[in-house]
Amino acid sequence: MTYSKRIEKAYEPAKECYAETGVDTDAAVEKLSKIAISLHCWQGDDVGGFESGEGLAGGGMMATGSYRGKARCGDELRMDLEQALGLIPGKHRLNLHAIYAETGKERIERNKLEAKYFSGWIDWAKAMGMGLDFNGTFFSHPKAASGFTLGSQDEGIRRFWVEHGIACRKIGEHMGRQLQSPCVTNVWVPDGYKDIPADRKGPRERLRKSLDEIFAEKVDRRYLMDSVESKLFGIGSESYVVGSHEFYMGYAIANKILLCLDTGHFHPTEVVSDKISSVLTFLDEILLHVSRGVRWDSDHVAILSDELRAIAEEIVRGDYLQRVHIGLDFFDASINRVAAWVIGTRCMLKALLSALLEPTDRLREIEAAGDLTSRLAVLEELKTLPFGSVWDYYCLKADVPVGPAWLQAVKDYEAKVLSQRT
Ligand code: RNT
Ligand code: ZN
């Protein structure tokens, strides 16, 4: 039997099996094909960017590992992304950071960045039929070395980063206009203290003022959507982070902008899956940074964990697909970087498909009837339905490799392209 025949054949009983629970697999697959995940460009080069020098210094972030073949310029990064995108079913987006500006030989300061330095990315995105999202880069810079940026007590430093934020919104708006799709432009700053602060209030008041200055100009939401990202702690900001969850949740609600929930930015016993329906009671839309926290690290490659599945279930059950922008945010330099994108994105999509295959109405009825025994029993039985056959079928229809077959393509690319980079 040919490969595609085998997959189509396995899909039929799977479809019947789900139909028995009241779920239409064709409809689920169709819905999944409409969901765009925003792939983060920074997995391709360990958050290095194209400015000379600095690296990750001053950001409280760390990519560990030295796997061969990291992208060194826009052309290489785009090539690697194309490779990854060819192995992921569906149409997706790209999430850029300001340090990926292509300024030629010139060094352009972050507060002087303009849309023209991103024309290589915009042209590429147009050709690929992709939307773009954007982020200011408030780290890996001498002016972030004190550990403070938008919350700095040094007015020169604070002003510099405000100007960067303003520049980034202009760039985001331009991207949104050019690509006719709103560019979610996110702000994350590393500001905080390693040890116990005497003044928790001052930096927060300054951060609020800085954000007000950055967001002062109203921009059409058809082109630009602003978002702010919190964190509980980072390396070097263990005791105090200015932009905490409460801070940004308040800010986002008060200013009607997006809140970004990074799945690696909370206490390890807290889960983002439980926060989605809470924050969406008060906010129109949110951004997700899908990652995987492991002990001290917040940025491991996303896998099909219980929590990732729970996040997808919450998005689908709450009918939030239009209100939750799903972006990825991890960086692993110890494995093939193209594979990291493929694994993380395919897992996000698998989690969504699994959620779309849930008989939610039936579960709700059982719950409303107070039959909590059946709720648990049914949820557990659902886990072993032939999900894999539906996923394989979706990959086949989307014309990407089925199962682990994608890995060979990555290995070939590594042998041919990545291993040549020194
Ligand atoms: C850092 C934040 C932030 C970054 C990216 C590179 O803790 O998660 O989103 O990872 O902007
Ligand atoms: Zn993040």
Side-chain angles (χ1 to χ4, degrees), residues 229 262 265 289 329:
E229 178 180 4
D262 184 309
H265 284 195
H289 269 187
D329 182 12

Side-chain angles (χ1 to χ4, degrees), residues 111-141:
N111 59 342
K112 299 279 186 276
L113 283 172
E114 290 173 56
K116 65 179 180 197
Y117 301 117
F118 293 89
S119 59
W121 287 110
I122 295 167
D123 293 346
W124 179 80
K126 260 187 205 157
M128 298 282 291
M130 289 173 83
L132 288 177
D133 297 309
F134 196 56
N135 299 263
T137 313
F138 298 85
F139 52 84
S140 304
H141 191 279

